[in-house]
Amino acid sequence: MKARYGMAIDLDRCTGCGACMVACASENNVPRLPKATERTGITPMLVHPVSDGKTGVAFIPMPCMQCEDETPCVKVCPQQAVELDRATGIVMQMPQRCLGCRYCMTACPYHSRYFNWWDPAWPAGMERTLNPGVAVRMRGVVEKCNMCHARLHAAEDKAAEAGKRQIEAADYVPACVESCPTGAIRFGDLNDGASEVAKASRTPEAFRLLARLGTEPKIYYTSKRAWVRALAERHPAGEPSQPAAPVAAGGGEVKHG
Amino acid sequence: MIPTRRDLFAWGGGLAGGMLFTPVPWKVLDDVSIWSQNWPWIPQPARGPVEEKLSSCTLCPNACGMRVRMAAGSPVGLSGMAGHPVSRGALCPLGFGAHQLNWHPSRLRNPLHRGRKTSWEEATAAFRKALGEGPIAIIDGRTGRAASTVLERFAAAHGATYAAARTAEEKALGPYQRWTGVPTSSLGYDLENARTIVSFGAPLLDGWATPGRFTRLWSERAAGSSNPALRLIQVEPVQSRTAAFAWRWVNVRMGSESALASALARVLMEERLVTARGPMPSESVNELAGKTGLAAETIQSLARALVERGPVVAISAGDNPSVAALNVVLGAVGARGGILRRGGGTKSPVPVEALSGRMRAVLIDSTVPWEVRPNVDAEVFRFAAWHGGTTTADWLLPAPGFLEALTDVPTPPASAIETYAVATPLMAAEGSKDAARFLAEIDPAAGSLEDAIKARCEAIYHAGKGGLIGPEPQPVKGLASADKLYEALGNGAVWTGEAGTPGGLRCDLKEWPGPSAMESPAGWTDGWTAPVLPPLAAKLYRESDLRQAPARSDV
Amino acid sequence: MTSAATGVVMADRRLQVRGEARSSTARFALWLAPWVLLLALGIYAGGLCLYYGLNQTNMNNRFAFGLWIFLDLGIIALGAGAFFTGFLVYILGRTELKPVLNSAVVLGFICYSGAMAVLMIDVGQPLRAWFTFWHPNVHSMLTEVTFCITCYLLVLTLEYIPVVLRNRQLRKLPPFVVFEHRMHLLMPVLAGIGTLLSFFHQGSLGGLYGVLRGRPFAFRQGFAIWPSTFFLFILSAVAVGPSFLMLVTAAARKLTGRKLVPSNVFPRLGFISGVLLAAYVALKAVDTLIWLNVTSPAVGFAPWEYYAYKPFGTTLLFAEIVVFGLLPAVLLVQGRWLLPGAALACCGILLNRFVLTVQTLALPTLSFDPFLSYTPSWQEVASFGGVVAYGVILYSLSYRYLPLFPQSKEQTHVSGR
């Protein structure tokens, strides 16, 4: 049976601690390079702080949105270095085939793709801590979140050893999902109607970012706060939303949450 | 026949065309594609069997249970230990990158004397000399460990002062120790049974105590709900992450937390919202309200909200007697859902802040945060696994890094339940030595870590309480011997004692405490003992807008 | 004078176009010197990017395309004069344009080879560039671009060869004369292939952005698999190609002080350019209206927001369509202000390519995205300067040694010198 792996991220639970970002980088052998900035660093999982301009604060963890339809990056790659795996719904990046033209990065509306501006490097000896399941990417290629595909492989191997066709859901959990201290990131098969993600994706609190573009992302977000749900789209009618980090608010007010 | 120019062109063309039908160009293309994917300078992960070990994080006192994935003899990934009674399967954001710390460029590999390379022999000789001349002090960063026993025993045998640095969470429990005589290491918050928590700047959702404990609780009982089962009220002058996600955020003036706690206590007593009677704050609610920048009515409604759903407990960011006194008024001390006395814990040593004047030498254990500098004029012997930049220490002595040495992990601060775990070395520590071994070499009578840990196992085994969590969960009573307990702990099991029970704590306030200086709330980095952060923390500080870079070096 | 210098002068004299006055060797060397320096700097800068990687540029994950792509698109559009002149001469039989044909071919060759050189620096792994031919994704506009540009560069090279073979010294070799003659017979075929290839890659370059569903500022509806920008790019490229040819020829005329082409060529080029530009402006206006009113709102993007960030105001849109579109079209058709008109038209196409490449990336997509800016690094500017220098040098050498303007001899008497 085909799976469609997706996530449902509860934005009312995400406190923006950043554990997912570090766990992701560790799992995927992402280097920390001294010159990298927020515009050149590689953060396959990236948490965006947002605010409603008053006292409302939210953090939006953004992995690759795993677009299902008209997948922008898959469509534009000239040499099939990106493909949508129909068996899992995962948009796979193959850095070995990438020539680094970065067309996919301009195509992605979510900025979920990252270019290796430098050769990966670790302080002497630290390469011993690299995860053996994931190959290191060289400079000049694009990479992104592939839902910890190595973990899926490991789960499939485990199932095959046990003579089973299907993997155990508990055996395949991406690093960010595993690391979340509040359980805000839920992961599973959207095709399985009984799964937690599938259920969450059907609630009225669920939304997807820029869904009107028609790319059918498989990362859902949920929030009980209307202003957070409104972040899904740009607003043709109102002022453009402005990004803001949490800041000190003046005055002696009590906020009713 | 002499070839003409035309022939040369013809042959050249023929050769080029013919080459296309040989494997040469295709093999070259194939090789290019392989080379361009495997440049020799790109590091590749070592191959080897992957195994998973259970252990505990030792980078701060908060004792998170960890799963360590090991490949080819090195840790290649960390994750939380599900089912851990306190950390509940979570790690802090820094913890996920901790396995790379041992190869941090700032790693101390050699003993240094005032910046110059020296040897262990010279350091030992210098310390022996200082010991002979006296007086000296030994500073511990995490009490209650086997190593603490060694340090304390050595200090006692040689007339040295045994002092300790405390975390913000331990400091916050200070007033109760002063009022009840129960050491802070035997006190904990019964958060799991509280229904209202009022935090005076404590970063409950962002680096307070064992990270998984409150975040998981909040996630289960409060997150996203306008009428949560657990009400979190955050008193803080800035909109921190905790304030942003609290049920209510009370935005007070900087440094007026004591005033608000006093005002709340006064309202509670004046309006007879509580049964407690005792000394009252001398200032009126209006005077106190003026200090906080809040309207008196706001404070009154807040006081009513506090008692609307008990049990309620107040938590401060640091040592704040007014907040502690508020807990007394609220009846939270020694009560379910409040502050409990639990098993374990040791007598609190002299706080490092109390040291002053001239001493011959001070020895600082590697568990003491780098920033902590005793206010004494002495020759400083500092143990550390990493060089944290500027230092006043005369001797820098390389301590074992992360998961490089045997250490035990006692109950984390603020926990309501007693735990005990052991972190065994998963990697070799070359050329390093911890303070306990250093002192035991000078005076073997101080004892060894192994013996101290075994002694603790004996004690737990003979008490026969609690049980093991981990690979093979079972009650202590089911174990054949204390050695079996030692063995199980070495394999990553965590011993969990009984939860603290109400009662046994009595606070009689003689007078309402005066205002205390606000301590800035601690965060993830403040409890972190290593003076450096994991390289991947840069993802949070430099490669995203998620967090402000901490003052501490992140290289 | 040393013997080596004498040798150079002699060789220079021997290679020059027969029967035409050329400046002295020293003067020519003086003219080339700064360009050679710029080329050297460009090669150094490009070398830095290849050796150390693209961290030498100021591009980043959000501004993944920068100065290079903008200028590549720009010069490829300007180089469209090559295929379009060939098309006019060989396919439509407008022989009156033959005097500028060689010049057009050289210009085209320069633009395309220069763009290819920059693209090879611009990709992160140039050694893997051939993967596109090996594992082509037929749905990608970039595959179409890569195939067509590579093939067309080959065609341009084939078209350039006969011009090179007409050098005075090379003509002394009989096989070359025969070869050149044969090639000449092929020219109409090459012109046809070139037109087809150019048609597609000029279009695909437009399609490159038009298909970006994720970037509503660039995304356009279209016909079958081609977004409207596909057709607009073709039209705008063929419209300004002749204008650019005219500008370069006029510059060469100014520098050499010779008339170079018959006097009826410029008005003819101008008229063609003007009419096509007018058609382009009309269609671009219609396309803009459809995009602003239908395409963009349908995906939740308010069109006014695109112009809410300085310096990308509505003035820019007005400038693109009216000042650099309608105005030059009128000037070129009416024929009195040919060169200013041509210059405006060329600026207009550069502005169009700039807006599509740079503004697209600068504008936010997510509701919490900031508006971004980017300034190219010196390495980016210098490597492009190197391409310009390469063009000037190649054009100068071609002018000096090859019959770039075959009818120039008949025009000599017009000039003062």
Side-chain angles (χ1 to χ4, degrees):
Chain A
M1 204 187 93
K2 280 183 184 172
R4 269 172 71 235
Y5 288 110
M7 292 181 186
I9 303 177
D10 187 345
L11 298 183
D12 297 338
R13 283 196 153 70
C14 177
T15 62
C17 73
C20 52
M21 290 175 62
V22 179
C24 166
S26 162
E27 168 75 17
N28 290 295
N29 292 338
V30 176
R32 176 267 153 105
L33 297 162
K35 287 183 188 159
T37 64
E38 79 279 4
R39 300 263 295 262
T40 51
I42 295 173
T43 44
M45 172 54 119
L46 177 62
V47 182
H48 289 274
V50 292
S51 132
D52 66 350
K54 298 188 285 276
T55 56
V57 171
F59 296 91
I60 307 189
M62 283 189 68
C64 167
M65 296 288 127
Q66 312 288 351
C67 303
E68 177 94 8
D69 200 17
E70 301 271 338
T71 314
C73 50
V74 173
K75 258 186 88 174
V76 302
C77 178
Q79 41 202 26
Q80 305 193 31
V82 201
E83 65 174 28
L84 175 65
D85 183 350
R86 292 281 166 194
T88 57
I90 299 175
V91 178
M92 293 291 301
Q93 174 81 16
M94 285 163 280
Q96 307 86 336
R97 191 178 284 177
C98 173
L99 93 157
C101 72
R102 306 185 298 288
Y103 187 20
C104 54
M105 298 173 71
T106 65
C108 177
Y110 304 107
H111 325 299
S112 298
R113 308 186 131 262
Y114 300 86
F115 186 69
N116 282 270
W117 298 97
W118 287 271
D119 263 323
W122 284 267
M126 206 183 278
E127 66 279 349
R128 293 175 58 187
T129 62
L130 296 179
N131 177 5
V134 178
V136 171
R137 282 76 57 197
M138 63 183 303
R139 99 175 175 219
V141 301
V142 177
E143 65 178 86
K144 67 167 199 93
C145 153
N146 58 8
M147 283 195 165
C148 288
H149 202 256
R151 293 189 175 205
L152 175 60
H153 272 310
E156 283 168 349
D157 288 350
K158 190 175 162 189
E161 268 174 42
K164 283 188 275 185
R165 283 239 181 121
Q166 294 280 315
I167 61 163
E168 291 289 328
D171 285 339
Y172 174 36
V173 181
C176 55
V177 180
E178 185 183 62
S179 70
C180 184
T182 58
I185 313 178
R186 291 156 295 180
F187 172 79
D189 182 1
L190 289 165
N191 273 351
D192 172 7
S195 70
E196 203 189 349
V197 273
K199 281 187 209 152
S201 72
R202 289 193 300 260
T203 60
E205 282 114 42
F207 66 95
R208 289 177 294 174
L209 294 175
L210 300 178
R212 289 177 72 181
L213 293 179
T215 61
E216 297 297 323
K218 287 194 289 289
I219 308 298
Y220 287 81
Y221 293 92
T222 59
S223 177
K224 290 196 169 73
R225 294 173 283 177
W227 74 267
V228 173
R229 290 197 300 273
L231 293 170
E233 302 284 346
R234 299 198 72 86
H235 313 297
E239 288 291 310
S241 327
Q242 289 299 320
V247 283
E253 286 301 311
V254 176
K255 183 197 86 168
H256 293 263
Chain B
M1 169 192 146
I2 301 161
T4 63
R5 235 186 294 250
R6 185 183 207 134
D7 292 336
L8 282 178
F9 279 110
W11 290 341
L15 199 65
M19 282 290 268
L20 291 177
F21 294 95
T22 70
V24 174
W26 315 111
K27 176 70 183 149
V28 169
L29 276 184
D30 191 40
D31 282 358
V32 165
S33 76
I34 293 170
W35 295 333
S36 68
Q37 291 162 30
N38 296 300
W39 296 118
W41 60 87
I42 307 294
Q44 286 303 332
R47 302 285 158 194
V50 177
E51 52 176 341
E52 198 167 85
K53 303 223 165 157
L54 291 177
S55 189
S56 290
C57 183
T58 54
L59 288 164
C60 80
N62 293 318
C64 296
M66 260 189 339
R67 284 185 292 142
V68 187
R69 240 181 320 150
M70 303 280 297
S74 297
V76 296
L78 303 175
S79 48
M81 185 204 285
H84 189 283
V86 187
S87 69
R88 299 191 58 196
L91 292 181
C92 75
L94 303 177
F96 283 99
H99 59 304
Q100 297 191 326
L101 273 173
N102 287 346
W103 292 273
H104 196 286
S106 298
R107 184 74 199 270
L108 269 175
R109 294 285 178 192
N110 284 293
L112 295 177
H113 182 224
R114 297 189 177 128
R116 190 178 47 80
K117 256 190 198 175
T118 179
S119 66
W120 278 108
E121 288 72 32
E122 279 187 54
T124 310
F127 187 74
R128 271 184 200 279
K129 183 161 175 274
L131 191 62
E133 292 167 11
I136 68 164
I138 294 173
I139 303 171
D140 192 357
R142 236 171 273 165
T143 56
R145 299 170 303 144
S148 313
T149 321
V150 176
L151 300 185
E152 193 173 5
R153 222 182 275 153
F154 184 94
H158 296 85
T161 313
Y162 174 66
R166 298 169 305 159
T167 65
E169 293 83 357
E170 286 170 313
K171 284 179 192 167
L173 291 166
Y176 313 104
Q177 174 181 313
R178 294 198 290 276
W179 298 337
T180 65
V182 177
T184 55
S185 54
S186 300
L187 295 171
Y189 299 99
D190 188 18
L191 301 179
E192 288 74 8
N193 288 312
R195 294 184 70 198
T196 302
I197 295 174
V198 53
S199 148
F200 291 81
L204 292 181
L205 285 174
D206 200 36
W208 180 82
T210 308
R213 185 176 173 215
F214 186 73
T215 45
R216 288 246 194 263
L217 199 63
W218 170 80
S219 170
E220 288 156 3
R221 300 189 188 170
S225 170
S226 53
N227 186 21
L230 173 63
R231 288 176 168 182
L232 170 61
I233 299 167
Q234 184 74 5
V235 178
E236 205 166 351
V238 293
Q239 195 188 19
S240 65
R241 277 164 165 75
T242 310
F245 289 97
W247 176 62
R248 284 188 185 185
W249 167 38
V250 184
N251 187 351
V252 293
R253 233 174 244 157
M254 192 75 75
S256 67
E257 288 82 356
S258 296
L260 180 62
S262 305
L264 286 170
R266 193 158 178 144
V267 173
L268 290 169
M269 288 190 281
E270 278 176 356
E271 295 191 10
R272 300 191 174 271
L273 296 167
V274 291
T275 50
R277 290 290 161 269
M280 278 237 203
S282 53
E283 290 165 288
S284 73
V285 173
N286 276 329
E287 280 170 329
L288 292 163
K291 288 182 181 171
T292 63
L294 299 172
E297 296 75 49
T298 310
I299 295 178
Q300 281 154 1
S301 78
L302 186 63
R304 282 173 220 128
L306 279 189
V307 290
E308 198 173 279
R309 272 204 211 155
V312 53
V313 64
I315 301 176
S316 60
D319 190 333
N320 191 326
S322 305
V323 175
L326 174 64
N327 264 334
V328 175
V329 171
L330 287 166
V333 182
R336 188 180 133 86
I339 289 152
L340 294 185
R341 179 181 194 160
R342 58 161 158 74
T346 47
K347 187 169 74 62
S348 296
V350 183
V352 66
E353 295 84 7
L355 296 179
S356 63
R358 267 188 87 83
M359 293 189 109
R360 176 60 184 84
V362 173
L363 182 141
I364 305 177
D365 187 59
S366 60
T367 51
V368 177
W370 186 265
E371 294 79 9
V372 174
R373 281 170 198 160
N375 185 25
V376 287
D377 184 12
E379 185 177 17
V380 177
F381 292 76
R382 209 216 192 282
F383 281 81
W386 299 272
H387 200 306
T390 50
T391 176
T392 49
D394 302 273
W395 298 83
L396 276 182
L397 305 171
F402 183 57
L403 299 176
E404 281 186 344
L406 174 75
T407 179
D408 58 344
V409 182
T411 316
S415 168
I417 187 166
E418 194 186 358
T419 61
Y420 190 64
V422 171
T424 49
L426 297 178
M427 284 162 282
E430 293 148 26
S432 64
K433 208 182 277 186
D434 51 35
R437 241 180 77 204
F438 178 81
L439 294 181
E441 278 174 12
I442 290 171
D443 179 6
S448 77
L449 284 182
E450 288 83 351
D451 293 343
I453 294 172
K454 279 182 180 153
R456 182 76 204 276
C457 287
E458 289 280 341
I460 292 172
Y461 180 76
H462 289 297
K465 285 181 181 164
L468 289 178
I469 285 161
E472 293 164 37
Q474 57 183 313
V476 170
K477 284 192 174 124
L479 290 165
S481 66
D483 284 347
K484 288 278 177 218
L485 176 64
Y486 180 76
E487 200 179 299
L489 293 177
N491 288 330
V494 178
W495 173 76
T496 305
E498 287 171 340
T501 45
L505 287 177
R506 200 181 151 73
C507 283
D508 284 320
L509 281 184
K510 303 279 181 300
E511 59 176 358
W512 193 259
S516 69
M518 168 64 187
E519 289 188 52
S520 63
W524 299 115
T525 53
D526 288 52
W528 189 257
T529 318
V532 293
L533 299 182
L536 288 180
K539 301 284 164 203
L540 313 177
Y541 302 118
R542 288 158 161 269
E543 299 180 25
S544 71
D545 301 325
L546 191 58
R547 285 177 183 275
Q548 293 277 307
R552 176 191 295 243
S553 133
D554 74 336
V555 289
Chain C
M1 205 184 274
T2 62
S3 61
T6 320
V8 169
V9 172
M10 290 307 290
D12 177 45
R13 288 260 175 273
R14 270 206 300 275
L15 284 166
Q16 277 174 20
V17 178
R18 197 194 302 271
E20 285 191 46
R22 290 286 184 264
S23 54
S24 71
T25 307
R27 217 172 141 191
F28 184 65
L30 209 63
W31 156 252
L32 282 190
W35 298 107
V36 171
L37 276 178
L38 184 57
L39 178 64
L41 181 68
I43 291 173
Y44 173 66
L48 284 179
C49 296
L50 286 174
Y51 187 79
Y52 292 108
L54 291 176
N55 53 62
Q56 300 289 306
T57 71
N58 272 351
M59 287 187 280
N60 54 59
N61 293 329
R62 297 291 301 276
F63 250 106
F65 283 175
L67 178 76
W68 287 338
I69 292 287
F70 153 53
L71 290 173
D72 279 345
L73 258 64
I75 62 171
I76 284 184
L78 296 176
F83 92 83
F84 192 54
T85 315
F87 174 74
L88 290 172
V89 171
Y90 289 114
I91 313 283
L92 294 189
R94 311 305 296 248
T95 43
E96 71 268 28
L97 294 179
K98 204 145 186 189
V100 286
L101 188 60
N102 284 353
S103 168
V105 165
V106 174
L107 269 184
F109 180 79
I110 288 169
C111 289
Y112 278 80
S113 54
M116 280 292 253
V118 172
L119 278 174
M120 281 303 104
I121 305 173
D122 200 356
V123 298
Q125 286 291 331
L127 283 180
R128 298 184 191 168
W130 59 274
F131 284 20
T132 304
F133 299 94
W134 208 246
H135 316 278
N137 174 8
V138 293
H139 303 293
S140 171
M141 283 289 162
L142 196 55
T143 309
E144 209 172 308
V145 170
T146 313
F147 273 75
C148 291
I149 290 194
T150 317
C151 295
Y152 184 52
L153 186 58
L154 202 69
V155 170
L156 276 170
T157 314
L158 289 177
E159 289 183 339
Y160 190 23
I161 288 173
V163 183
V164 174
L165 292 183
R166 287 182 69 177
N167 173 274
R168 184 167 126 196
Q169 295 301 324
L170 293 176
R171 277 182 79 85
K172 288 179 181 164
L173 307 170
F176 282 177
V177 178
V178 175
F179 185 60
E180 194 231 312
H181 184 67
R182 295 249 165 92
M183 293 281 288
H184 262 289
L185 298 179
L186 261 180
M187 278 307 142
V189 180
L190 287 179
I193 298 174
T195 304
L196 189 74
L197 289 171
S198 298
F199 202 78
F200 270 98
H201 76 242
Q202 292 287 356
S204 317
L205 281 173
L208 217 56
Y209 280 85
V211 297
L212 296 182
R213 183 170 285 275
R215 299 280 183 172
F217 179 73
F219 184 66
R220 295 291 189 283
Q221 302 289 347
F223 172 72
I225 58 165
W226 296 293
S228 65
T229 46
F230 183 92
F231 306 102
L232 289 174
F233 261 52
I234 298 174
L235 193 52
S236 59
V238 296
V240 300
S243 278
F244 184 61
L245 190 56
M246 191 156 57
L247 276 186
V248 173
T249 312
R253 188 152 76 179
K254 188 93 187 156
L255 283 168
T256 61
R258 301 162 59 85
K259 187 154 184 237
L260 303 178
V261 291
S263 49
N264 67 334
V265 170
F266 275 21
R268 175 56 61 189
L269 284 173
F271 184 77
I272 295 170
S273 196
V275 169
L276 290 170
L277 196 58
Y280 164 71
V281 168
L283 290 177
K284 167 85 184 165
V286 172
D287 175 65
T288 306
L289 286 174
I290 295 177
W291 163 65
L292 288 177
N293 292 300
V294 182
T295 319
S296 177
V299 291
F301 281 66
W304 61 263
E305 236 192 283
Y306 299 136
Y307 299 100
Y309 302 94
K310 298 292 163 234
F312 300 116
T314 40
T315 352
L316 206 62
L317 185 66
F318 177 78
E320 192 192 326
I321 296 182
V322 179
V323 182
F324 295 102
L326 197 58
L327 179 63
V330 171
L331 293 179
L332 287 166
V333 170
Q334 161 266 23
R336 210 172 310 156
W337 301 74
L338 278 179
L339 292 181
L344 281 176
C346 290
C347 291
I349 203 158
L350 289 176
L351 180 60
N352 172 259
R353 301 315 192 239
F354 174 80
V355 163
L356 211 59
T357 53
V358 175
Q359 192 175 354
T360 299
L361 293 180
L363 288 172
T365 50
L366 296 161
S367 60
F368 44 88
D369 267 350
F371 174 77
L372 299 176
S373 65
Y374 136 92
T375 320
S377 72
W378 77 262
Q379 288 93 329
E380 284 171 84
V381 177
S383 15
F384 204 84
V387 168
V388 173
Y390 152 79
V392 171
I393 293 168
L394 193 63
Y395 195 83
S396 303
L397 291 174
S398 297
Y399 174 77
R400 194 171 178 83
Y401 301 126
L402 308 175
L404 218 49
F405 298 100
Q407 289 167 25
S408 166
K409 239 183 287 181
E410 292 119 62
Q411 309 298 326
T412 318
H413 65 277
V414 183
S415 166
R417 230 182 281 184

